[in-house]
Amino acid sequence: MAIALDDMKRQLIGERLADLLAFQKMILSNDQKLIDACPYNDIRDRLQNMLEDDRKNLGIIETVIVQYGIQSEPSPATSIFVENFEKMMSGDEFTYYQKLMHHELMKHGQAMSGINIHKAAQKVGADIEVAIGPLNTVNFEGRAHQEQLKGMLEQVGVREMTGMDADQGIWARVQDAVAALSGVAGSVLTQNTNKQDMNIQTLIRLDHNKVNTIFTEIGATKDPQKLQEYFGQLYKDILAHAKAEEEVVYPRIRSFYGDENTQELYDEQAEWRPMLEEIKAIDPATNADLFRSKIKDLMDHLGDHIRQEESTMFASIDKNCSTAEKEQMATQFKEVKRKVQQDMTAAVQ
Ligand SMILES: [Fe+2]
Ligand SMILES: [Fe+2]
């Protein structure tokens, strides 16, 4: 029996991530609607800051999905919800306060969904935790936004009912609540704040770390079903990563990294697909020893290659490319991976 590459739990987490992305897009469009319709200058400024955070967080969610490696569609329920919510927020049946209140509920739901995905990842596999790590920033920032929105709601609610400002202590309380949250999340926020601007080396290193994590997971289990699940992820991750390097990175570095060095990287990667196909045809339930020895070969091949990329290739990129060029390569790298992942999803459906 050959290995099936798709695992239900992983597929489901992929769908939840797609939901999270759809909701984040809805939240962003909502931020803009609330800004456009806002009758109060102070509230508008606060919403504008929130919109900028939300835009950055959208980028982080997109990166996380590519790192995770499974492209999914949002669930039908999410699509129905988003459509209705957009309609409600565009209409004039609701007061400004009511719209803001529903927006706050959305932010709450979004933060909870992100936290639950994180907790599910801890259950399913260490490689998933590695892939979705940057989501922590989005989750904690969502919590901080909720505190700020509570303050805005209080202010807007009192103004709508009385035409007067609420007690001035509100913003100080909001600041305190946000500071308390940042205390909890401080390290996470400072580590990950600029993840959407990752350069190409960071992105490549994240992939390498994830692959190494999967090898460790494979080494640590005897359960054939788990082996199948981990190998399925490894197979997809390696092929997407190799393709993105071959389309975006290697052509770009050839002139300064050298013909011979660059060709070596291409040649090594060309050996991986047949190795992966060979392993895919082995059933770990009946042929565990062969499965492990082939995995060990693959790991050795990849190890040498990864060391070369992270030492001489990375140094060479640093010497010859500007920050903007490195970020641009990262964007293209993600795009190619996303495309490969979509094709793989389509191929099994
Ligand atoms: Fe490579
Ligand atoms: Fe690589």
Side-chain angles (χ1 to χ4, degrees):
M1 184 195 78
I3 286 185
L5 294 177
D6 281 301
D7 176 80
M8 258 336 264
K9 296 184 295 300
R10 283 172 188 255
Q11 210 57 47
L12 258 181
I13 292 177
E15 199 179 290
R16 290 294 93 82
L17 280 167
D19 284 342
L20 201 71
L21 181 68
F23 275 111
Q24 189 67 16
K25 287 179 180 163
M26 182 189 84
I27 284 171
L28 256 178
S29 108
N30 221 12
D31 284 333
Q32 192 60 57
K33 286 192 184 87
L34 287 167
I35 289 169
D36 292 344
C38 188
Y40 315 108
N41 287 337
D42 56 341
I43 304 289
R44 192 182 310 116
D45 290 347
R46 284 166 193 272
L47 285 168
Q48 188 64 46
N49 291 336
M50 209 171 272
L51 176 130
E52 276 147 34
D53 287 345
D54 282 332
R55 191 173 288 138
K56 183 194 72 190
N57 288 337
L58 180 74
I60 294 177
I61 295 172
E62 283 169 346
T63 302
V64 161
I65 291 175
V66 172
Q67 286 307 114
Y68 180 63
I70 298 172
Q71 299 285 337
S72 275
E73 291 297 319
S75 62
T78 297
S79 306
I80 294 168
F81 187 93
V82 167
E83 196 188 322
N84 285 317
F85 194 81
E86 296 264 14
K87 226 179 275 170
M88 195 175 90
M89 296 301 285
S90 306
D92 51 16
E93 295 88 353
F94 291 77
T95 67
Y96 193 77
Y97 171 83
Q98 286 166 332
K99 287 182 179 175
L100 198 60
M101 180 191 71
H102 288 296
H103 187 60
E104 198 257 345
L105 290 174
M106 283 307 106
K107 299 285 290 198
H108 175 78
Q110 184 75 337
M112 282 314 298
S113 303
I115 290 165
N116 285 335
I117 291 172
H118 189 82
K119 290 198 181 299
Q122 289 171 335
K123 289 278 170 195
V124 177
D127 58 299
I128 302 182
E129 258 195 285
V130 170
I132 72 162
L135 204 56
N136 275 326
T137 317
V138 181
N139 296 342
F140 280 114
E141 220 158 61
R143 300 267 303 276
H145 284 179
Q146 265 178 270
E147 294 303 324
Q148 293 166 29
L149 281 164
K150 279 188 213 161
M152 291 187 224
L153 275 172
E154 209 173 308
Q155 198 55 273
V156 170
V158 172
R159 283 177 191 168
E160 274 190 13
M161 284 186 280
T162 68
M164 290 182 279
D165 274 359
D167 173 1
Q168 285 305 307
I170 292 176
W171 301 126
R173 262 191 288 129
V174 168
Q175 265 330 99
D176 287 349
V178 171
L181 269 174
S182 310
V184 179
S187 58
V188 178
L189 285 174
T190 46
Q191 274 169 24
N192 292 311
T193 302
N194 290 316
K195 282 287 186 202
Q196 90 284 14
D197 292 329
M198 276 188 273
N199 68 28
I200 186 65
Q201 292 107 310
T202 311
L203 220 49
I204 290 178
R205 192 178 276 117
L206 277 177
D207 279 357
H208 292 168
N209 289 348
K210 189 179 174 205
V211 162
N212 282 327
T213 305
I214 302 177
F215 277 126
T216 308
E217 289 176 305
I218 290 177
T221 185
K222 289 195 163 58
D223 178 350
Q225 210 181 334
K226 280 298 212 186
L227 288 173
Q228 170 158 331
E229 175 193 333
Y230 295 141
F231 177 73
Q233 191 67 54
L234 186 71
Y235 178 100
K236 288 185 274 198
D237 285 350
I238 291 176
L239 292 184
H241 177 84
K243 174 105 167 136
E245 284 183 341
E246 286 169 18
E247 282 195 15
V248 176
V249 185
Y250 298 169
R252 179 77 184 72
I253 63 172
R254 202 183 265 277
S255 64
F256 53 79
Y257 189 51
D259 255 337
E260 204 177 311
N261 287 336
T262 310
Q263 195 52 47
E264 194 186 338
L265 293 175
Y266 275 109
D267 293 345
E268 285 169 0
Q269 293 198 161
E271 293 169 19
W272 299 345
R273 186 182 270 276
M275 292 176 92
L276 286 165
E277 295 304 336
E278 200 186 349
I279 301 172
K280 188 171 164 238
I282 304 169
D283 182 356
T286 54
N287 229 336
D289 289 346
L290 182 64
F291 180 83
R292 278 196 193 284
S293 86
K294 294 288 175 191
I295 286 280
K296 171 85 173 57
D297 285 349
L298 179 67
M299 202 169 97
D300 291 343
H301 262 79
L302 282 160
D304 287 340
H305 182 91
I306 286 174
R307 272 188 291 280
Q308 182 183 341
E309 286 183 343
E310 293 194 2
S311 56
T312 59
M313 183 182 89
F314 278 11
S316 179
I317 290 174
D318 260 335
K319 225 171 93 189
N320 293 282
C321 301
S322 67
T323 305
E325 284 170 329
K326 287 188 284 187
E327 284 175 9
Q328 194 200 6
M329 264 196 269
T331 306
Q332 292 168 344
F333 187 86
K334 260 193 297 190
E335 209 33 59
V336 174
K337 275 181 67 188
R338 194 206 318 271
K339 180 83 186 40
V340 176
Q341 289 163 353
Q342 272 164 352
D343 291 348
M344 285 194 230
T345 307
V348 294
Q349 276 166 357

